Amino acid sequence: SAVLEYFAGQDRLEHLRLLRLGVPDAFIEQGTREEQLALCGLDCEGLVQSAQSFLGARAHQMAK
């Protein structure tokens, strides 16, 4: 986490883009592990969607 925060805060590393995913600082309902991961967007479907959004935004920026 500290290394990730270091690189994210470096203005001289503009070419380095990071995507940070994790459990939000909020109450998460009880449930199975799979249900909790889905609620946080950390299940397979949520991770794929986050990656596609991140890479899609990057491709759009590179095209400019």
Side-chain angles (χ1 to χ4, degrees):
S1 176
V3 172
L4 189 61
E5 289 177 21
Y6 170 80
F7 282 115
Q10 298 298 308
D11 291 335
R12 61 188 167 91
L13 297 175
E14 294 175 9
H15 64 278
L16 180 63
R17 294 194 50 222
L18 302 170
L19 175 62
R20 295 173 60 186
L21 301 173
V23 178
D25 188 17
F27 179 77
I28 306 297
E29 294 289 330
Q30 289 186 349
T32 66
R33 181 176 190 275
E34 291 77 20
E35 291 170 333
Q36 291 178 329
L37 289 173
L39 285 171
C40 296
L42 297 175
D43 59 342
C44 185
E45 184 177 322
L47 293 173
V48 168
Q49 185 177 9
S50 293
Q52 287 175 336
S53 295
F54 181 73
L55 295 173
R58 183 176 183 200
H60 180 68
Q61 285 181 347
M62 293 176 76
K64 288 183 178 182

